[in-house]
């Protein structure tokens, strides 16, 4: 319905049969969900099985094979034609299986990346997946949220929405709840509406959902833009170029084989089929598909370790990370903030003492003249609960309660509830009428409430007022806007009796012990300002009440993760908005830093980028830092050649997350904007999960390198057999179908099994790979050449002995065919580890063992089953020929294992 903006909020609620104060019932929401479907944009660009199959059989080389089958049919070679087509189909089925599994894995990861939203249902606030939203739902929006669907605003406080994604308007739009009477307004002019895909830039609001999914304005656009093309990852593009380069190199060998065969009088049909078969064997067509599924399966393994990969290239980059820039709260610490100390009116009370005295505190009223010290405590606790967006849910009478919202704010609400001040009752008595939301630059938030009695103070500029403003935030931030401090009976100037210094000393003392410290201030308000600038002006001439000490203990597993990261050549760096002394205390406790050096936001403001680049190499702790500073830190590290992972959870963290090589968003406390900008989301907000993800990323990259080593060395072996054989005077060592069979069997199951190898021993004790390193770095190119040469020479040598002895062609050719296949199986088994012996790790990947056993069985069928003998031009090998083939094929396995033994003896780690 396009006229929602022309209706009163009551009319909208009536049309949608909902109550903005209660929301829908769970039963009604379920019924509507079944009717309208999930709130998501339908992606029509994903490939189905038939489309993937069609793409597989329309590749150039596969079309050549099909043409070869047609030629065979025309020449009356029906068995050859059927065999070629069967191999084409088998190869396509394998490719479809790999790509479809990758598509499904990526789709599953996308579903898990769906954000959650706070809604009112059954009269309470709940957190649900945005996919479950239906028309009539009442959603609560706050700074940093993505708007999950189109909705009509019914409440707001200083709400500004960034709508550039929808309208192209770069400036955030100020929203209203009033009716807009003009018809046919453009989307950007519907100021009382919010739209899916936009972002809350400031303030908060409540909206009734009017349209979901493809019925939204964004859905209408998506309907016109459904030609979705998935971009290959950088590694896939690099490997694709590698494949083309190998194809060019192979063409020279193929041309020689064909030209030499023509001079020798070989059949043109056989030479034609051989050339095509060699082309298929030389080019590792399966490489991009195997890379995709390796990355996708690796992403699923990371998910089990609470790391959600949003962008597949991140998996590649993870293995190269050299520095992790991490927030402190919730990532290095437990994010289990607990109020421990309340410091008011020169009196310091533990939270336990406050709970014991709760009756006296609850009875105290907010009267600012002649109030006893206990009333100061009551004043601060009220401020803690009211200047707060967290919600306490559950049964207060013995049932399980939990907080929804920021963990720090949740701790304040819990502390107030422990003393007997229930937030919902306080909000009823002291309703919020305006606010100045928290920003990372100000490091504070302010809310204005209608008082349940007149607030008065006998000194200007306050006077008698019907409203009160509460502020909470960093102590140094509050001291910038306060002129007095509450001593229990009245406001005392900050410069009297060294009151400012006392507050700073209390702040420092708590920070040195690792506590997070917040301050609370207030002021009476005579009249509500009419605009945002007037509200912001209220943050002046305030009265400081006291400080709150909160303890957020370090996560016990992080210390070990930090040590593990350092062993892996990765430097952890703490970046926090907390007090420098708190940051330094936690950094020492976790082993991030043992020095005294740190930089604050003020220091960063004074440093040029060139100076910061110099300091970035030695600074491990940044404190009182705003998100804007994170961008400078990332750039400084990258300019020094570092590969940086950066964590973030706020709206302003998005630029740094995008700039970083790996942007890491917080899954629990992170805003939707930060999650959208990130490459990876931590589902548990835990630093140890980042290190675990890096280990998994290194494992994946290792396995891709192992597959490349295996596939290319096998292809080199096949090409050498076909290239050298004619030089020795032999007929073509292999017929086309045999080459195709080797390519299908050995590049298929055994190669794919390498993708799921577990982590290599010593993986996290070696230097990270640089993204600038060649795929053939650290000796991989040399290994491909010598292993490939050994595969080819041992196979050709086994057949040459019997050819020179005068055995029949079918016999010595079958020996070469069998030796080459089995040598590649030995290559696959030995390549599973770069260092450890196969015999010490054989149980760790039973899929690899199973694939080799299955392939060995299939090879025996090709040799000994009569109709397969006729198809593949093989013959049953007697014991002598079979033993020679088996013996020659083990040379590759033994040579690789001896090389690994030499590396172990020399103390060389994995690479």
């Amino acid at each position: 319905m396009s006229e929602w903006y022309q209706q009163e909020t009551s009319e909208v609620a009536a049309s949608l049969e909902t109550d903005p104060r209660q929301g829908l019932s769970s039963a009604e929401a379920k019924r509507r969900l079944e009717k309208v479907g999930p709130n998501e944009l339908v992606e029509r660009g994903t490939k189905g099985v038939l489309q993937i199959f069609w793409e597989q059989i329309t590749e150039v080389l596969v079309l050549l094979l099909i043409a070869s089958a047609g030629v065979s049919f025309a020449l009356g070679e029906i068995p050859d034609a059927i065999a070629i087509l069967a191999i084409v189909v088998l190869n396509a089925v394998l490719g479809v299986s790999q790509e479809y599994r990758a598509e499904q894995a990526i789709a599953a990861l996308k579903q898990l990346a769906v954000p959650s939203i706070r809604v009112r249902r059954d009269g309470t606030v709940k957190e649900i997946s945005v996919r479950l939203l239906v028309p009539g739902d009442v959603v609560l929006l706050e700074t940093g949220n993505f708007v999950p669907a189109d909705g009509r605003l019914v409440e707001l406080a200083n709400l500004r929405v960034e709508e550039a994604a929808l309208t192209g308007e770069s400036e955030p739009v100020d929203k209203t709840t009033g009716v807009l009477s003009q018809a046919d307004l453009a989307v950007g002019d519907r100021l009382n509406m919010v739209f899916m895909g936009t972002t809350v830039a400031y303030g908060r609001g409540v909206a009734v959902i009017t349209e979901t999914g493809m019925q939204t304005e964004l859905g209408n656009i998506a309907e016109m833009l459904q030609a979705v093309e998935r971009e290959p990852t950088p590694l896939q593009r690099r490997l694709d170029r590698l494949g083309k380069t190998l194809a060019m190199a192979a063409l020279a060998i193929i041309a020689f084989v064909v030209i030499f065969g023509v001079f020798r009088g070989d059949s043109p049909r056989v030479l034609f089929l051989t050339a095509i078969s060699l082309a298929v064997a030389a080019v590792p067509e399966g490489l991009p598909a195997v890379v995709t599924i390796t990355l996708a399966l690796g992403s699923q393994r990371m998910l089990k370790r609470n790391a959600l990969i949003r962008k597949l290239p991140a998996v590649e980059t993870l293995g190269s990370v050299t520095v992790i820039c991490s927030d402190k709260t919730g990532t290095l610490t437990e994010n289990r903030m607990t109020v421990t100390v309340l410091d008011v009116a020169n009196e310091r009370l533990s939270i336990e003492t406050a709970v014991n005295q709760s009756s006296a505190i609850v009875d105290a009223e907010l009267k600012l003249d002649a109030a006893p010290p206990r009333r100061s405590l009551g004043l601060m606790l009220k401020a803690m609960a009211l200047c707060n967006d967290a919600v306490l849910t559950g049964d207060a009478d013995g049932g399980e309660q939990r907080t929804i919202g920021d963990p720090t704010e949740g701790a304040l609400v819990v502390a107030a509830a422990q003393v007997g001040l229930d937030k919902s009752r306080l909000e009823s008595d002291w309703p919020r009428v305006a606010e100045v939301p928290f920003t990372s630059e100000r490091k504070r938030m302010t809310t204005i409430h209608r008082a349940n009695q007149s607030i008065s103070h006998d000194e200007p500029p306050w006077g008698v007022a019907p409203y009160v403003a509460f502020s909470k935030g960093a102590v140094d931030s509050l001291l910038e806007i306060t002129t007095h401090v509450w001593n229990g009976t009245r406001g005392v100037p900050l410069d009297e009796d060294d009151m400012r210094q006392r507050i700073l000393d209390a702040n420092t003392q708590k920070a040195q012990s690792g506590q997070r410290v917040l301050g609370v201030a207030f002021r009476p308000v005579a009249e509500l300002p009419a605009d945002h600038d007037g509200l912001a002006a209220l943050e002046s001439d305030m009265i400081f009440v006291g400080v709150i000490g909160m303890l957020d203990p370090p996560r016990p597993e992080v210390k070990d993760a930090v040590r593990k990261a350092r062993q892996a050549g990765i430097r952890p760096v703490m970046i926090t908005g907390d007090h420098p002394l708190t940051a330094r205390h936690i950094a020492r406790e976790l082993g991030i830093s043992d020095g005294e050096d740190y930089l604050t936001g003020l220091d960063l403001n004074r440093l040029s980028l060139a100076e910061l680049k110099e300091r970035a190499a030695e600074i491990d702790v940044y404190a009182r830092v705003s998100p804007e500073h994170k961008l400078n830190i990332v750039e400084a590290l990258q300019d020094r050649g570092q590969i940086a992972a950066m964590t973030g959870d706020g709206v302003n963290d998005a630029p740094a997350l995008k700039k970083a090589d790996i942007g890491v968003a917080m899954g629990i406390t992170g805003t939707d904007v930060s999650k959208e900008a990130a490459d990876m989301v931590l589902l548990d907000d835990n630093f140890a999960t980042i290190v675990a993800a890096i280990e998994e990323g290194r494992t994946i990259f290792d396995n891709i390198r192992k597959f490349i080593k295996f596939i290319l060395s096998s292809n080199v072996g096949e090409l050498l057999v076909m290239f050298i054989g004619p030089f020795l005077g032999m007929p073509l060592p292999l017929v086309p179908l045999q080459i195709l069979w080797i390519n299908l069997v050995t590049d298929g199951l055994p190669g794919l099994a390498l993708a799921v190898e577990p982590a290599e021993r010593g993986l996290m004790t070696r230097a990270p790979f640089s993204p600038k390193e060649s795929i053939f770095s650290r000796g991989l190119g040399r290994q491909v050449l010598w292993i490939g040469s050994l595969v080819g020479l041992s196979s050709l040598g086994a057949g040459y002995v019997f050819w020179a002895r005068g055995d029949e062609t079918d016999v010595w050719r079958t020996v070469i065919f069998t030796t080459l296949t089995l040598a590649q199986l030995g290559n696959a088994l030995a390549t599973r580890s770069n260092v450890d012996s196969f015999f010490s790790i054989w149980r760790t990947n039973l899929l690899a063992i199973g694939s080799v056993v299955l392939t060995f069985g299939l090879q025996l069928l090709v040799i000994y089953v009569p109709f397969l003998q006729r198809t593949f031009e093989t013959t049953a090998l007697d014991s002598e020929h079979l033993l020679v083939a088996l013996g020659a094929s083990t040379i590759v396995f033994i040579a690789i294992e001896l090389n690994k033994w030499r590396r172990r003896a020399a103390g060389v780690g994995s690479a």
Side-chain angles (χ1 to χ4, degrees), residues 323 566 571-574 592-599 607 611-622 636-637 640 642:
V323 58
R566 289 194 175 281
R571 183 165 67 100
V573 172
M574 177 194 291
I592 292 175
S593 173
D594 55 6
E596 298 292 326
D597 285 348
Y598 61 84
L599 289 178
L607 292 176
E611 291 171 327
L612 178 57
K613 179 181 173 181
E614 292 301 314
R615 298 294 306 278
E618 58 194 35
I619 297 298
D620 296 325
V621 177
Y622 297 85
L637 290 168
R640 296 189 64 87
Q642 302 292 311

Side-chain angles (χ1 to χ4, degrees), residues 58-71:
T58 53
E59 291 181 357
V60 175
L61 292 177
V62 176
L63 288 175
L64 285 173
L65 283 176
I66 294 173
S68 301
V71 172

Side-chain angles (χ1 to χ4, degrees), residues 328-329 333 337-343 348-351 506-518 547-554 578-586 589 624:
K328 178 185 73 67
T329 304
T333 59
M337 300 297 292
T338 304
V339 174
T340 56
V341 176
L342 303 170
D343 199 331
R348 183 176 181 275
L349 289 86
S350 68
I351 189 64
N507 184 33
T508 300
Q509 181 185 15
K510 292 174 177 60
Q512 284 178 328
S513 62
Q515 295 186 67
R516 184 175 187 186
V517 188
L518 289 179
V547 297
I548 307 156
M550 291 183 288
L551 192 61
D552 184 14
D578 272 356
H579 193 283
L581 297 177
T582 305
R584 197 169 64 185
H585 177 86
I586 297 295
E589 193 168 342
R624 282 288 185 259

Side-chain angles (χ1 to χ4, degrees), residues 486-803:
W486 190 248
N487 70 354
T489 57
R490 64 185 180 88
V492 178
L494 271 174
D495 55 5
E496 185 177 307
D497 298 328
D498 293 326
M499 295 302 292
R500 180 185 296 272
Q501 191 58 48
R502 292 185 192 182
I503 294 169
L504 291 173
D505 289 345
N507 184 33
T508 300
Q509 181 185 15
K510 292 174 177 60
Q512 284 178 328
S513 62
Q515 295 186 67
R516 184 175 187 186
V517 188
L518 289 179
V520 171
F522 79 99
R523 64 166 289 173
V525 178
E527 185 178 350
L528 283 181
D531 55 24
H532 176 266
D533 291 337
L535 286 172
L538 289 179
E539 291 189 326
S540 62
D541 296 320
M542 300 197 85
I543 306 170
F544 196 92
V545 179
V547 297
I548 307 156
M550 291 183 288
L551 192 61
D552 184 14
R555 291 179 182 265
E557 66 274 18
V558 167
K559 189 170 185 177
D560 184 61
V562 167
R563 178 189 55 77
K564 193 172 187 179
R566 289 194 175 281
Q567 285 181 342
I570 302 167
R571 183 165 67 100
V573 172
M574 177 194 291
I575 302 177
T576 179
D578 272 356
H579 193 283
L581 297 177
T582 305
R584 197 169 64 185
H585 177 86
I586 297 295
R588 284 175 176 170
E589 193 168 342
L590 293 175
I592 292 175
S593 173
D594 55 6
E596 298 292 326
D597 285 348
Y598 61 84
L599 289 178
T600 66
L602 290 175
D603 298 327
L604 293 174
N605 289 335
R606 289 192 291 264
L607 292 176
S608 67
L609 282 177
E611 291 171 327
L612 178 57
K613 179 181 173 181
E614 292 301 314
R615 298 294 306 278
E618 58 194 35
I619 297 298
D620 296 325
V621 177
Y622 297 85
R624 282 288 185 259
V625 170
S626 68
E628 287 73 14
H629 293 131
K630 288 186 175 183
L631 187 60
N632 294 337
I633 295 170
V634 167
E635 289 179 347
L637 290 168
Q638 290 175 328
D639 286 346
R640 296 189 64 87
Q642 302 292 311
I643 307 301
M646 171 67 77
T647 69
D649 57 8
V651 177
N652 291 344
D653 287 329
L657 293 177
K658 285 185 176 180
K659 176 65 176 174
D661 299 280
I662 294 288
V664 183
M666 302 297 106
I668 298 174
T669 60
T671 59
D672 296 338
V673 176
S674 65
K675 293 174 188 175
E676 188 67 20
D679 304 288
M680 183 171 81
V681 178
L682 300 183
L683 301 184
D684 58 359
D685 291 8
N686 192 342
F687 177 88
T689 302
I690 304 175
V691 178
I694 289 173
E695 182 176 11
E696 195 66 54
R698 288 190 176 191
T699 301
I700 291 167
F701 190 71
D702 256 20
N703 289 344
I704 291 173
R705 280 172 53 91
K706 289 173 186 175
F707 180 79
I708 291 170
K709 179 169 71 173
F710 163 71
I711 196 80
L712 294 187
S713 59
S714 297
N715 288 358
V716 166
E718 295 170 33
L719 290 172
L720 284 179
V721 166
M722 299 301 293
F723 181 74
I724 297 175
F727 270 113
L728 300 177
M730 302 170 68
L732 288 175
L734 297 170
V735 298
L737 281 179
Q738 291 172 350
I739 297 174
L740 291 174
W741 174 258
I742 293 171
N743 196 55
L744 172 70
V745 171
T746 59
D747 292 0
L749 294 175
L752 189 59
L754 290 174
V756 293
E757 279 294 323
E760 188 91 55
R761 178 171 61 91
L763 185 75
M764 293 296 284
T765 58
R766 71 182 188 205
F769 274 93
S770 168
K772 296 179 181 178
E773 281 189 69
S774 163
I775 200 74
F776 293 112
S777 65
R778 306 195 188 187
L780 182 63
R782 291 194 304 274
Q783 291 183 65
V784 165
L785 291 176
W786 78 257
I787 293 173
S789 299
L790 199 56
V791 168
L793 294 176
S794 60
S795 303
L796 189 62
Y800 180 82
V801 171
F802 296 114
W803 172 76

